[in-house]
Amino acid sequence: MKKRPKKSAAFPDQGPWLEDDLVVWRMRKNLPCAMCKRPLKKQRRDLAAMQQNGKLWIPTCLKCLHVDHLVFLPAGDSRVTRTASRLSSRRAVVMASRRKFLQREGILVERAALHEACAKYDVPLPPELQDAAPIMAAPPPSETKLFQPPEPPRPTPQRATKRDATRNYRFFDAPAAEKSSPTTMQPATTQPAAPRPAAAQPAHATAANPAYIKTLADRIRARYPRSPDKMIDEITLYALHVYLPKLTENNPLPPAADIDLGPLLTAFLRR
């Protein structure tokens, strides 16, 4: 006498559900639907009805079963479960199996039945339905907002693209030789002319004596000993022709020992 083959207990025929209930299971493997071939993923915890074909279990997705409009009600409150099952025209029992251990996770009922059952017993809706409720109940935008003129763009800070001519002026460049008439020719001097701008010099530059210029240059050289002599001369001429006239505003020059060298160097580098 042949022995009856042992039936797999992965998806049993009997469990905590009624005979006329539709039982859907959480996917344990990544399998396609038997009807629409849609992939059912284990990571997404998809639901499907399982049918045995020999030693294989064939899944059928909720869309092919025409129950994809139902919402999930987790187990925990028997009052809400019984009321929602009675008010819903279609329901399905959600089961999960792990290592031959069966667990009833909840049921699938209609959305209107679930809202009415939760309102009857003053029970909050499941979290996934609470997030979707404000979006569904949001009123459409009024017509007055649609025809309002757009808000003017905010003014953006304009970056200066053109610098002042005095800042771009390089004092170490020798000024262009002026054309002199033959009647007013002057004898050429043997000493080289100091680099000065072509424009008329302010009273400060002419009033500064060589001792004042030497004192200021020595202070700059003592503070920045690694600077070349050419740069120290440039800083000194810049202080006499641009920085100090703007700082004093046609007043007498301050003593060379009292000039703050920090702002002077900053203005020289930003010119």
Side-chain angles (χ1 to χ4, degrees):
M1 184 177 179
K2 293 184 178 182
K3 294 183 179 180
R4 186 177 181 181
K6 184 178 180 181
K7 191 174 182 180
S8 176
F11 305 102
D13 296 335
Q14 297 180 359
W17 56 80
L18 302 178
E19 295 181 359
D20 57 343
D21 279 340
L22 174 63
V23 183
V24 293
W25 299 81
R26 295 288 184 186
M27 294 299 299
R28 298 176 58 183
K29 296 181 180 180
N30 298 333
L31 297 174
C33 176
M35 300 181 65
C36 64
K37 306 303 180 182
R38 185 174 69 91
L40 302 173
K41 299 294 184 179
K42 173 185 176 181
Q43 292 79 5
R44 295 187 309 211
R45 297 177 58 83
D46 290 342
L47 297 173
M50 308 300 296
Q51 296 179 359
Q52 190 175 14
N53 184 10
K55 294 184 179 180
L56 300 178
W57 289 92
I58 302 175
T60 306
C61 65
L62 300 183
K63 187 174 182 180
C64 297
L65 296 174
H66 304 288
V67 292
D68 54 332
H69 64 283
L70 303 181
V71 295
F72 177 67
L73 173 62
D77 197 332
S78 59
R79 303 173 302 170
V80 180
T81 301
R82 288 194 298 266
T83 305
S85 300
R86 184 172 63 254
L87 297 176
S88 179
S89 60
R90 189 76 183 273
R91 85 162 193 169
V93 181
V94 180
M95 297 293 298
S97 63
R98 181 181 303 175
R99 296 180 182 178
K100 297 183 181 180
F101 175 76
L102 302 182
Q103 180 183 3
R104 177 180 174 275
E105 295 187 351
I107 60 174
L108 298 177
V109 293
E110 295 178 350
R111 186 183 298 269
L114 178 58
H115 280 263
E116 187 175 351
C118 292
K120 180 178 180 181
Y121 296 102
D122 196 12
V123 176
L125 293 171
E128 57 272 9
L129 298 180
Q130 289 180 0
D131 298 339
I135 300 177
M136 297 174 59
S142 59
E143 297 182 357
T144 56
K145 293 183 179 181
L146 294 178
F147 294 97
Q148 285 184 355
E151 184 180 357
R154 298 181 179 180
T156 56
Q158 298 294 334
R159 184 176 180 179
T161 56
K162 293 184 179 179
R163 297 183 178 180
D164 189 13
T166 57
R167 294 189 176 185
N168 285 335
Y169 190 84
R170 302 292 181 176
F171 293 99
F172 58 85
D173 294 338
E178 297 181 357
K179 294 182 179 180
S180 57
S181 59
T183 56
T184 59
M185 292 184 60
Q186 298 179 359
T189 58
T190 57
Q191 297 181 358
R196 293 180 181 274
Q201 301 298 329
H204 297 290
T206 57
N209 50 12
Y212 186 92
I213 299 175
K214 185 176 182 303
T215 304
L216 182 59
D218 292 343
R219 287 193 58 203
I220 298 174
R221 187 177 292 104
R223 182 161 182 175
Y224 308 104
R226 295 186 179 182
S227 300
D229 295 340
K230 184 177 180 181
M231 181 176 290
I232 293 176
D233 295 341
E234 294 175 14
I235 299 174
T236 305
L237 294 177
Y238 174 80
L240 294 175
H241 294 288
V242 179
Y243 180 75
L244 294 178
K246 290 184 178 180
L247 184 66
T248 57
E249 296 181 357
N250 297 327
N251 292 329
L253 287 176
D258 297 342
I259 298 175
D260 194 357
L261 300 181
L264 171 60
L265 182 65
T266 302
F268 174 76
L269 296 177
R270 292 181 178 180
R271 70 191 190 281

